[in-house]
Amino acid sequence: MTSSSVLRERGGLEFFLPDVIEDKDVSVIEVGVYEEAGLAEEVNMFLGTSIADLNRINAYILIHPKGLQGLESLLTGKPFVDPIVQRATLNQSLALQLNLPFDYVLQSMLRPGTSDAEGNVALQQALLSLGIEQSEGDLGFFSKQYFLCGDLTGAQLEEVSAFLANPDLNSRLILPRAEYKERFRVQVPVVMLKPEVKVERFDVVNMSDEELLKMNSERRLAATLEELRLFSDMYKDEEFIRKRRAVGLGREATDVEIETWFGLRSEHCFHKEMNAHITLEDLADDPIFKRAFEKGLLQRVGTNGPYVLEKGIFPTFIKAPAQRVFEKLEKRGKNWIVSMFEDNSGVVLYNEKYMFCIKWETHNSPSNKEPVQGAKTGIDGVNRDIFGTMLGTFEAIANFFFYSTGNPHYKGWLPKGVKHPYVILKGITQGVREGGNESQIPTLGGGLITDPRFIAKCLVYCGTVGFSPVASPEGISYIGKHPSVGDIVFVAGHAVGVDGVHGATESSLIAGEHISLGHVQADFSFCQAKLKDYSLECARDVLFSDIGDCGAMGIASLYEMARATRGIICDLEKHPKKYAGIQQWQIGCSETQDRMVPAANPKNRDEILRRAKLHEVDVTELGELTDSGFVHLTYGNETVAYIDIEKLFDKEPRKKMHATWSGAEEKPVGKITRTYSLEDSLCLVMSQPDVASKEWFFRQKDSSVKGGTILGPLIGLEQEVESDATIQKPLETEGEDYGAIAYAVGINPKVSDIDPYYAAQKSFVDMIGKIIAVGGALPDMENAKWDAWAVCGNYCQPNSDSNDTLTRESGEHNLASIVREGLAVAEVTDALNIPVISGKDSMKCSCVYEVDDSFKLEEVPLDLRRHVILSEKNGKRHIEIHDPDSYLSSCAVKIDDYRKCVNSAFKVEGDLIYVIGTTRSQMGASQYLSAVGYNEQGAPIEGGEAPKAELEEFKDIATAVHNAIDHELVASCSYIHNGGLAAALAKAALAGEKGAEIRVADVKGEWELESEEELLYSETPGRFVVTIAPRDKQEFEKALGSVDYRLIGEVSCNNLLTVERIDATRKGISLEKVKAAYQKPLDFGLHDLVS
Amino acid sequence: MIWCLKMVMAYVIYGLGIGCHKETEHALRMAGAETRFVHANQLLNGDVNIFDSQIIDIPGGFDHGDILGAGMCAANELEHAVINMEKLKDLLLEYAVNRGNVIWGQCNGFQTLVKAGLLPGIDGDYSRQTLTLTNNTCGVYRVTPALHIVETPHFAFQGLPNEFYLWCRHGEGKIQFYSKYGLMSRAEGEENRRKVNENHVLLRYANPETFEPTEQFPHNPNGSIDGIAGLINPTGTIIGHMAHPEVSVYCSRDPRWFSDKDFARTQGIMAEKMEGERMEDIGLKIFRNVVNYFK
């Protein structure tokens, strides 16, 4: 079956080597020593170990069929050794040579078959230095070896090893000193698959239901019986069979066809739930549903029957409202919507010459498993969405991230196999940093929301904005995609492996371990960087007629491209492969990263291949577009799949689902038993992870690259306070105008515990408010302007399929929640004329675990326990945890003149401070309630009204604030969100290194709010803090007109937030303390470095 | 009247992971140079004649993904490149040292020049690497504006204030001369350090309160020895530094822009009227100095 690995020895070296490789062909270069004192400290802190000393040595394992003569000449310099800080050995232990102190060695290396960037590049550079030609059997691998001193138990060593190298991605070895000294070992992770590649055939027509379901579960097709039958019935059609016979196939379905069909029609690719027919039972007689019914957004069975959403959530609540804005803009003139929901990203016009596009993705499951690579493939994947938009002419100009995780300081029970939030957060930050930075795309926004439920399943959102001229210098349009029959299709980028192929468990070299599996793939950012330059250059020179990215289902995006011409023929054998033995269906479905699939007129073939060589990108011709009506896949001369392309993408039959709404969770605020001083409560609010400074995240991510960043994610020279929005001048427009693009994000999963409607509404409105605060404007429906809003909506929803959830109620509730979110989005779009033009749904943000009798619910910390569902499933105890409904709203907005924009930092002593917009008693899901903690029973304080936006009121306020900024009357402006007015004031003061005098009584005005807490911490959306120079008072107030505003204080020059309370007493809050509270929770030691 | 202006041609290297080429090209163009993007492989293969240019700019980025150490692969490829029987490295030395053209590396470009031995060229010896740019002391990639002071009078910084902020964004920016485990001996390293400090330091990181060079985080973002932030060779025509002046071409990109603009407004200058020279920033002046060096 498979080749075995054998332990062999050579010159004191011991190798686990597959028997096909000869000993003499393997060389190992060890380079070091990297002192890892900081890492040791981190491990000790996190795992409670007592590592006294930690050093790392890197090993490069190079395999060449003729061995590598002369390698010893590379031990003193390039490419392996930086002689100033390193030294190296060849085929012997550097640690032993140096007498490095250690008790244990922890070795790690990527699992067999994972793209090994370091190993590959090392091999290429060694060959270059030695003047040896590359050859077929070349292989390069990279291994990290940690040498640690300390008294650790076996279990601790395992924990440390897993902390240093995630077992889901790495093969690991732990060796005590004596063993290492005796036998210095290196693993060689060569993939050994069965050499024969063979198509399996299934007589689906004659398979019983049981047999179909068995195939479904064995191949992890995730299909229902109805869907399986729909597939098998196709093979009854005699006309179809006749056509199949003509290409050498029969009545049996091939594995390539089965995998392609069900992969492409999966929830992930097909968005069945967002398009499902929904009946909704409203048990609460809810006014929002009623209103929606009256507006015609919902239908009803009979007069009092359940509501019906005939066309589904996406068509009704997202697409149709966007279409309504499109039509209004058509009438108005300068319609900036170019493409909504039909391409990889949504596209709008910047002006008549340029366009920009936006897309946000989520990469949740992979990031839970392997945070670094999961998040990296997330950001690199969404970047490829941009590279694959229209003809491929978009340059990615900005990256964004948003994380939802458990609190990194969480202590307590973890579900089995789940990584600690600290490990997740550090890992995903590293992944996004590497992906974005190495592609040299500035990170211009992001954030973190924590909740105990995200411990079970974290969410990782990655976003990208792209920019392109609308036409080439010669005037050839870049808009649209223009594939034609006869166009060649290519695959560009990485060779394919079985990465990302589900269920692939072929044995590999190291016994008991499997090839890098499932959705965990490693990313090769360097490969992607080259691919990016290459594809952009070809696209801008109009060499491509179409281009797709390889995300989910890999090269299958070609078949989507082929819908335009109605057919494609591809030879899977031609696809470059990482190793031999990959089955045909695996080539077709692999999600190996860093690939794009362009199509081009044959006349451009030579130029496309010539440039590929220059850019060192592998580009291979796979086949061509046809009008045959079929996806025709071959392997050499043998046909391996023949699928009707119309049927493959036919959305019918649509899923039918049932939802139940039992009412919003609005109740009075629970009793707060402790009283806090103003200073303490503000410090507590500022130290909530959702509010606390994200400086640590942004300090690692390039924000000024591309030279266009006007307002970055951190404010001022000190870069200590976050900005709620960012502004970028696209390089290509430099010198042509003073236009720019502003970016912001809104998300409020906690509000959805009260009512998902208001959660989504607040997310959308918060995002808009943040743009207005820096100088943006709502679309002007009276005057034709280039005032584009490119909005992307990402739904991360707990499982809403009640057939699948542990309890029927939770699934039905979750589905009703999505309907409510959708309604909110539709109503904001209709009210403010801001369309959502792109988006993504991730519908299974829930976790189910089987638990044995030893599991005790009481052991789960209370704030997680209240979300845990414990129930029986198939006769076994299970727990289920649903993430909160998360609607993330993100945007890229055209700014008319960036010179007039403002930031949130207080500017000059004596400037007047205003709050604009009405503060309402809406403490529900506020940071204040999370901050002041728990009642006597240890239960978190709940209750409070949901924060609600009054859309018409907000429209006036947003217009007034914009006008004031546009007339240059504003010194600073902040949008009030997490932490309410108090947090906004504190952040503005810290950003400007100023203080403030605030009169709470003036905040109160005539409002009926009684408590200072509500005035200071309520998170009513749609409000702003604005400061102005005193001389502009009259003009400013005139500009505000009739909107609700209050003058509440002045900017001061001391380091105090002085508050005059309602009872006229004065209280000074130390901003130094507030700053420490704001910085500390998420700085991971950053500020300790300052001596 | 006939203007006899000499056009200055700048080659901007890109590809293989270099990512800052577009803004660098923009800065050079705004500074008055004619520019041409040259793919790293075009340079290595001799597809361009470097002597048709006056400036070769190796911008920032992640050449080869920083694998094997930042700049290591690029330096290795550069050392092994042979064009018409001549080593590319020798041609580059002829270009910059003998003929007085400029080779300029920002960030990753600087790392490449150092690892290729083109900087600092102690006593005119370019044959090997004499110091390194290695992992930041703080242990993480660091993005920050950093205060720089000019150490040696140099045409690139002529007419500029003596101290100014520039953006730094890097993980391997610490200048080091020797270390516990390196092959370089302490004695030789110290000797190099002395010579470099005497003749090769162009820029240093400084403390904004004292304006003194500093090794202390955060004002020195990477822990660079003696606060060294940028180097030149003996002829001053090979220039390298970690900072990114190419993103400081316009003052609206300065982190202080919003407060400066607010101050200007109190002086009666409306943002709407800010144009042309008023919008220029320190980075453009540096690029202009380098371009004008040839005029």
Side-chain angles (χ1 to χ4, degrees):
Chain A
M1 287 279 288
T2 56
S3 303
S4 56
S5 55
V6 286
L7 199 63
R8 284 179 287 171
E9 196 181 326
R10 188 177 118 234
L13 265 170
E14 202 165 278
F15 296 104
F16 285 108
L17 267 186
D19 48 19
V20 291
I21 292 175
E22 290 187 46
D23 297 357
K24 66 174 174 49
D25 302 342
V26 183
S27 314
V28 182
I29 289 191
E30 290 206 348
V31 183
V33 175
Y34 302 84
E35 293 169 275
E36 297 278 18
L39 187 56
E41 201 180 314
E42 184 186 357
V43 173
N44 287 340
M45 205 164 67
F46 181 68
L47 295 174
T49 47
S50 49
I51 299 170
D53 196 10
L54 186 66
N55 291 292
R56 172 168 51 92
I57 286 173
N58 289 343
Y60 299 92
I61 300 128
L62 309 174
I63 300 175
H64 190 270
K66 296 189 191 97
L68 290 167
Q69 296 304 311
L71 256 188
E72 60 283 349
S73 68
L74 305 184
L75 294 182
T76 53
K78 280 177 282 294
F80 291 105
V81 186
D82 179 343
I84 314 300
V85 289
Q86 296 166 342
R87 58 182 63 223
T89 53
L90 175 64
N91 294 337
Q92 50 179 303
S93 164
L94 177 61
L96 295 179
Q97 196 193 64
L98 286 172
N99 270 324
L100 199 68
F102 67 94
D103 298 317
Y104 298 97
V105 184
L106 310 180
Q107 285 187 350
S108 68
M109 145 178 272
L110 291 168
R111 283 188 176 210
T114 314
S115 306
D116 186 338
E118 271 90 351
N120 266 311
V121 171
L123 178 76
Q124 280 168 18
Q125 293 296 324
L127 293 176
L128 172 73
S129 294
L130 299 172
I132 298 175
E133 289 282 313
Q134 265 185 307
S135 68
E136 188 82 354
D138 288 346
L139 290 165
F141 301 105
F142 174 66
S143 166
K144 283 184 183 174
Q145 332 229 353
Y146 289 96
F147 295 81
L148 68 87
C149 295
D151 195 9
L152 281 83
T153 65
Q156 280 181 320
L157 283 168
E158 172 56 34
E159 275 190 324
V160 174
S161 158
F163 183 86
L164 295 173
N166 181 3
D168 287 324
L169 187 69
N170 296 278
S171 309
R172 299 166 303 134
L173 266 184
I174 301 172
L175 296 171
R177 183 182 175 89
E179 204 177 316
Y180 175 86
K181 274 184 81 168
E182 200 183 315
R183 291 206 156 122
F184 153 64
R185 292 173 181 187
V186 175
Q187 317 161 43
V188 181
V190 180
V191 175
M192 302 297 293
L193 299 171
K194 286 187 279 190
E196 68 280 23
V197 175
K198 194 166 165 282
V199 175
E200 274 192 75
R201 285 159 216 271
F202 296 82
D203 184 8
V204 287
V205 174
N206 294 313
M207 279 164 80
S208 65
D209 287 356
E210 287 73 42
E211 284 168 326
L212 282 174
L213 288 168
K214 185 163 168 267
M215 175 179 86
N216 183 45
S217 68
E218 277 175 2
R219 299 198 78 101
R220 301 191 205 175
L221 303 176
T224 62
L225 185 60
E226 191 192 0
E227 289 165 337
L228 290 161
R229 274 285 162 230
L230 179 83
F231 177 77
S232 68
D233 285 350
M234 283 195 305
Y235 292 82
K236 288 179 181 162
D237 178 352
E238 291 307 325
E239 175 64 16
F240 176 50
I241 302 303
R242 192 184 58 73
K243 286 183 181 159
R244 289 175 67 79
R245 295 209 196 280
V247 293
L249 287 173
R251 194 177 290 278
E252 291 174 320
T254 66
D255 53 3
V256 185
E257 290 170 336
I258 293 168
E259 294 285 347
T260 305
W261 178 272
F262 289 103
L264 275 176
R265 296 175 66 92
S266 64
E267 174 60 44
H268 186 96
C269 299
F270 231 56
H271 312 289
K272 295 177 216 171
E273 298 188 9
M274 288 304 268
N275 291 291
H277 175 286
I278 294 173
T279 48
L280 189 149
E281 204 90 44
D282 177 15
L283 307 177
D285 201 17
D286 185 272
I288 290 171
F289 286 133
K290 265 195 193 151
R291 187 167 76 213
F293 173 67
E294 280 156 18
K295 283 188 189 169
L297 291 169
L298 290 173
Q299 298 85 47
R300 202 154 202 182
V301 181
T303 42
N304 276 318
Y307 293 110
V308 175
L309 193 57
E310 187 62 50
K311 290 189 180 145
I313 295 169
F314 168 69
T316 315
F317 298 143
I318 303 168
K319 210 173 170 182
Q323 188 60 35
R324 289 196 279 277
V325 177
F326 180 90
E327 277 148 24
K328 285 190 217 170
L329 289 170
E330 273 293 290
K331 270 194 208 142
R332 183 201 77 163
K334 293 193 175 162
N335 181 359
W336 31 258
I337 301 176
V338 183
S339 164
M340 313 185 272
F341 296 106
E342 51 196 22
D343 209 321
N344 277 353
S345 64
V347 185
V348 297
L349 288 173
Y350 174 93
N351 57 21
E352 50 278 275
K353 275 178 75 182
Y354 301 99
M355 53 188 172
F356 58 102
C357 64
I358 187 168
K359 179 67 186 276
W360 280 62
E361 274 276 5
T362 44
H363 230 221
N364 308 330
S365 299
S367 301
N368 274 278
K369 268 300 231 189
E370 163 39 44
V372 179
Q373 296 300 334
K376 196 167 166 183
T377 48
I379 195 82
D380 279 349
V382 73
N383 284 336
R384 281 196 305 278
D385 270 330
I386 301 304
F387 309 153
T389 295
M390 294 192 165
L391 293 176
T393 61
F394 284 88
E395 181 174 8
I397 58 167
N399 269 162
F400 307 87
F401 66 91
F402 207 97
Y403 312 138
S404 299
T405 67
N407 187 327
H409 305 294
Y410 172 83
K411 287 192 176 67
W413 173 84
L414 286 176
K416 193 166 173 265
V418 165
K419 291 182 172 62
H420 190 277
Y422 175 80
V423 175
I424 299 258
L425 197 53
K426 293 276 281 204
I428 55 185
T429 303
Q430 183 191 338
V432 170
R433 177 190 72 218
E434 289 177 1
N437 285 3
E438 291 184 27
S439 299
Q440 293 286 280
I441 299 165
T443 295
L444 291 178
L448 169 72
I449 289 273
T450 64
D451 187 280
R453 283 164 282 181
F454 295 128
I455 291 170
K457 185 155 189 177
C458 74
L459 308 179
V460 175
Y461 304 81
C462 299
T464 308
V465 166
F467 197 83
S468 171
V470 296
S472 72
E474 297 76 31
I476 303 168
S477 171
Y478 287 156
I479 294 176
K481 288 177 178 286
H482 315 293
S484 311
V485 174
D487 281 359
I488 314 169
V489 294
F490 301 88
V491 61
H494 215 289
V496 70
V498 297
D499 334 24
V501 173
H502 57 85
T505 50
E506 279 76 6
S507 56
S508 60
L509 180 78
I510 295 159
E513 288 205 291
H514 298 301
I515 296 164
S516 163
L517 281 185
H519 36 233
V520 177
Q521 308 137 49
D523 202 330
F524 202 157
S525 289
F526 167 49
C527 186
Q528 169 126 338
K530 290 188 293 185
L531 183 58
K532 173 193 76 166
D533 288 346
Y534 166 72
S535 109
L536 184 66
E537 223 174 273
C538 289
R540 292 262 175 119
D541 289 344
V542 211
L543 295 176
F544 299 151
S545 61
D546 197 345
I547 186 165
D549 68 308
C550 296
M553 289 299 288
I555 57 166
S557 59
L558 279 174
Y559 319 152
E560 250 187 287
M561 179 188 289
R563 289 172 75 185
T565 60
R566 292 194 58 258
I568 187 168
I569 180 161
C570 278
D571 183 355
L572 298 176
E573 196 180 16
K574 286 185 180 161
H575 197 310
K577 298 162 198 73
K578 286 201 257 184
Y579 33 79
I582 308 171
Q583 301 298 319
Q584 291 94 339
W585 67 269
Q586 292 172 325
I587 300 169
C589 302
S590 167
E591 295 172 12
T592 298
Q593 297 288 309
D594 313 317
R595 294 180 297 162
M596 299 290 290
V597 281
N601 188 302
K603 72 177 177 1
N604 295 332
R605 177 195 281 124
D606 293 348
E607 184 60 14
I608 284 169
L609 296 176
R610 188 191 67 80
R611 293 193 192 195
K613 201 160 168 254
L614 178 69
H615 284 267
E616 298 181 15
V617 175
D618 285 327
V619 177
T620 312
E621 217 174 303
L622 286 184
E624 65 176 61
L625 297 174
T626 66
D627 54 4
S628 67
F630 287 88
V631 172
H632 185 174
L633 304 179
T634 66
Y635 192 76
N637 291 324
E638 182 196 357
T639 294
V640 296
Y642 203 63
I643 310 171
D644 187 313
I645 197 163
E646 296 280 313
K647 288 187 177 153
L648 182 58
F649 291 100
D650 186 4
K651 294 274 178 194
E652 297 297 336
R654 279 166 55 218
K655 201 167 177 171
K656 283 196 164 72
M657 299 178 79
H658 195 264
T660 306
W661 179 246
S662 45
E665 287 284 322
E666 284 196 330
K667 51 192 175 195
V669 178
K671 193 169 176 331
I672 298 167
T673 46
R674 272 192 63 186
T675 49
Y676 294 89
S677 70
L678 269 185
E679 186 170 273
D680 286 350
S681 68
L682 182 57
C683 285
L684 276 171
V685 166
M686 295 295 281
S687 66
Q688 291 303 296
D690 302 0
V691 184
S693 171
K694 311 297 181 296
E695 179 186 345
W696 179 81
F697 298 80
F698 289 116
R699 283 285 191 184
Q700 307 178 37
K701 293 169 184 171
D702 287 349
S703 52
S704 67
V705 62
K706 295 217 184 286
T709 305
I710 292 166
L711 177 55
L714 296 170
I715 295 173
L717 263 189
E718 301 302 325
Q719 300 268 295
E720 286 178 331
V721 179
E722 282 168 86
S723 179
D724 289 331
T726 53
I727 304 172
Q728 182 185 31
K729 172 72 186 162
L731 185 67
E732 293 186 73
T733 67
E734 207 79 78
E736 295 184 9
D737 64 1
Y738 288 103
I741 304 178
Y743 309 110
V745 179
I747 183 170
N748 294 282
K750 283 170 188 159
V751 178
S752 66
D753 288 341
I754 309 173
D755 189 340
Y757 177 89
Y758 291 109
Q761 185 204 49
K762 185 172 192 298
S763 302
F764 205 156
V765 169
D766 280 356
M767 173 202 82
I768 297 169
K770 290 170 184 178
I771 294 291
I772 301 297
V774 297
L778 297 177
D780 183 341
M781 299 318 276
E782 309 298 320
N783 306 294
K785 285 178 185 167
W786 295 118
D787 52 2
W789 282 70
V791 177
C792 181
N794 284 68
Y795 294 80
C796 281
Q797 302 297 141
N799 197 349
S800 54
D801 187 340
S802 54
N803 296 318
D804 233 16
T805 46
L806 219 44
T807 62
R808 193 157 195 93
E809 300 81 64
S810 62
E812 294 192 353
H813 168 82
N814 290 344
L815 186 60
S817 297
I818 312 178
V819 175
R820 286 184 82 74
E821 288 173 316
L823 268 172
V825 171
E827 293 194 335
V828 176
T829 294
D830 282 338
L832 304 175
N833 298 307
I834 297 177
V836 178
I837 59 160
S838 178
K840 180 76 204 288
D841 57 89
S842 177
M843 306 303 281
K844 305 283 175 201
C845 301
S846 302
C847 287
V848 181
Y849 304 96
E850 190 183 321
V851 289
D852 57 21
D853 293 339
S854 66
F855 173 79
K856 292 192 179 56
L857 197 55
E858 307 82 71
E859 283 169 17
V860 180
L862 191 70
D863 46 1
L864 178 57
R865 193 194 311 160
R866 63 197 177 120
H867 300 295
V868 174
I869 300 168
L870 178 64
S871 188
E872 297 260 316
K873 189 181 180 183
N874 307 330
K876 288 183 180 134
R877 288 177 93 209
H878 282 78
I879 56 166
E880 185 172 47
I881 301 169
H882 294 295
D883 278 352
D885 310 287
S886 303
Y887 179 72
L888 179 131
S889 188
S890 56
C891 66
V893 181
K894 169 74 190 296
I895 296 283
D896 186 46
D897 186 346
Y898 67 73
R899 293 169 303 176
K900 294 183 189 172
C901 288
V902 296
N903 69 3
S904 61
F906 286 161
K907 298 294 180 312
V908 181
E909 183 192 0
D911 277 359
L912 308 178
I913 305 173
Y914 287 78
V915 58
I916 301 172
T918 308
T919 305
R920 300 190 165 89
S921 169
Q922 294 171 342
M923 299 297 271
S926 65
Q927 295 299 324
Y928 176 77
L929 285 192
S930 324
V932 298
Y934 300 83
N935 64 16
E936 297 91 334
Q937 287 78 42
I941 291 167
E942 290 178 310
E945 190 183 321
K948 294 168 186 165
E950 301 293 333
L951 295 176
E952 286 308 313
E953 189 182 292
F954 176 64
K955 198 172 176 178
D956 293 341
I957 291 171
T959 307
V961 170
H962 169 73
N963 286 341
I965 295 174
D966 195 49
H967 287 100
E968 298 194 42
L969 298 167
V970 171
S972 81
C973 183
S974 335
Y975 177 76
I976 299 174
H977 57 113
N978 284 345
L981 172 64
L985 290 168
K987 284 205 283 183
L990 291 174
E993 295 176 76
K994 296 280 182 301
E997 302 253 356
I998 303 296
R999 296 175 295 273
V1000 183
D1002 288 349
V1003 183
K1004 185 170 181 285
E1006 296 141 28
W1007 301 334
E1008 287 175 1
L1009 293 194
E1010 286 306 323
S1011 81
E1012 274 175 358
E1013 284 75 23
E1014 289 176 332
L1015 291 165
L1016 291 172
Y1017 296 117
S1018 174
E1019 294 179 14
T1020 305
R1023 296 173 302 148
F1024 299 86
V1025 170
V1026 172
T1027 64
I1028 63 157
R1031 64 184 174 120
D1032 293 327
K1033 185 169 186 283
Q1034 213 180 353
E1035 212 180 327
F1036 174 69
E1037 291 182 359
K1038 201 175 125 203
L1040 291 182
S1042 61
V1043 306
D1044 189 353
Y1045 68 85
R1046 274 128 225 275
L1047 174 59
I1048 61 163
E1050 291 86 40
V1051 174
S1052 66
C1053 69
N1054 55 21
N1055 207 8
L1056 287 175
L1057 198 59
T1058 308
V1059 180
E1060 191 183 301
R1061 309 188 65 157
I1062 294 181
D1063 63 9
T1065 59
R1066 282 163 64 86
K1067 180 82 193 163
I1069 299 174
S1070 156
L1071 282 167
E1072 210 163 305
K1073 276 192 192 164
V1074 170
K1075 184 173 172 182
Y1078 172 64
Q1079 285 184 334
K1080 196 72 199 152
L1082 297 174
D1083 87 339
F1084 303 110
L1086 185 69
H1087 294 96
D1088 297 341
L1089 293 169
V1090 182
S1091 49
Chain B
M1 196 160 82
I2 298 163
W3 287 98
C4 190
L5 273 182
K6 184 180 162 196
M7 274 319 285
V8 179
M9 172 56 88
Y11 283 177
V12 181
I13 311 300
Y14 82 108
L16 307 184
I18 294 171
C20 303
H21 51 290
K22 292 200 175 164
E23 57 268 36
T24 304
E25 184 272 342
H26 179 80
L28 282 161
R29 190 154 36 88
M30 288 300 111
E34 245 187 297
T35 57
R36 174 172 173 188
F37 287 117
V38 175
H39 194 281
N41 279 334
Q42 291 177 312
L43 178 72
L44 295 168
N45 299 338
D47 296 343
V48 291
N49 180 2
I50 57 171
F51 296 100
D52 291 343
S53 71
Q54 286 74 47
I55 300 167
I56 295 176
D57 193 309
I58 312 177
F62 287 80
D63 183 276
H64 285 81
D66 274 0
I67 290 168
L68 298 166
M72 194 64 120
C73 293
N76 194 44
E77 299 202 334
L78 192 152
E79 274 195 13
H80 287 95
V82 177
I83 295 161
N84 298 331
M85 316 283 280
E86 281 195 89
K87 286 186 159 186
L88 175 60
K89 190 171 165 185
D90 293 339
L91 290 172
L92 290 173
L93 288 170
E94 169 68 20
Y95 176 88
V97 179
N98 297 339
R99 300 205 198 171
N101 298 303
V102 165
I103 300 175
W104 187 6
Q106 298 96 6
C107 197
N108 193 212
F110 181 32
Q111 291 161 335
T112 300
L113 293 174
V114 163
K115 298 215 170 143
L118 288 168
L119 272 177
I122 297 172
D123 301 328
D125 177 4
Y126 300 93
S127 65
R128 67 204 176 98
Q129 184 185 341
T130 47
L131 53 84
T132 195
L133 287 155
T134 189
N135 295 328
N136 297 352
T137 306
C138 65
V140 285
Y141 196 92
R142 178 92 179 156
V143 178
T144 189
L147 184 67
H148 287 69
I149 51 176
V150 182
E151 169 92 6
T152 313
H154 187 270
F155 59 82
F157 297 93
Q158 211 173 7
L160 264 67
N162 197 47
E163 61 273 330
F164 40 80
Y165 280 90
L166 290 174
W167 275 99
C168 281
R169 320 183 295 250
H170 56 254
E172 299 176 43
K174 178 187 184 178
I175 295 251
Q176 212 166 320
F177 295 90
Y178 59 89
S179 80
K180 189 168 160 192
Y181 293 110
L183 291 166
M184 177 72 78
S185 73
R186 186 191 168 108
E188 201 185 341
E190 279 295 345
E191 179 65 7
N192 286 337
R193 178 180 171 186
R194 187 182 61 76
K195 287 180 176 168
V196 165
N197 272 308
E198 268 172 22
N199 303 314
H200 297 275
V201 177
L202 177 62
L203 297 168
R204 292 188 203 267
Y205 304 112
N207 180 312
E209 270 152 38
T210 62
F211 296 109
E212 290 297 321
T214 181
E215 289 187 358
Q216 295 300 316
F217 186 82
H219 301 302
N220 178 331
N222 49 46
S224 192
I225 300 299
D226 302 320
I228 300 171
L231 296 169
I232 42 172
N233 73 330
T235 59
T237 48
I238 305 180
I239 311 166
H241 46 72
M242 289 313 295
H244 288 273
E246 75 277 7
V247 301
S248 298
V249 169
Y250 304 104
C251 63
S252 54
R253 317 306 143 87
D254 189 303
R256 293 163 294 189
W257 154 254
F258 290 96
S259 41
D260 290 352
K261 178 177 82 105
D262 190 68
F263 178 75
R265 201 175 52 101
T266 63
Q267 310 296 302
I269 303 160
M270 302 303 273
E272 210 171 10
K273 300 276 178 266
M274 290 189 187
E275 279 177 330
E277 254 178 67
R278 249 209 106 85
M279 296 298 276
E280 290 175 2
D281 203 5
I282 191 101
L284 183 57
K285 297 190 174 101
I286 298 170
F287 277 91
R288 206 173 266 156
N289 277 338
V290 174
V291 172
N292 288 345
Y293 174 67
F294 295 99
K295 286 189 174 171

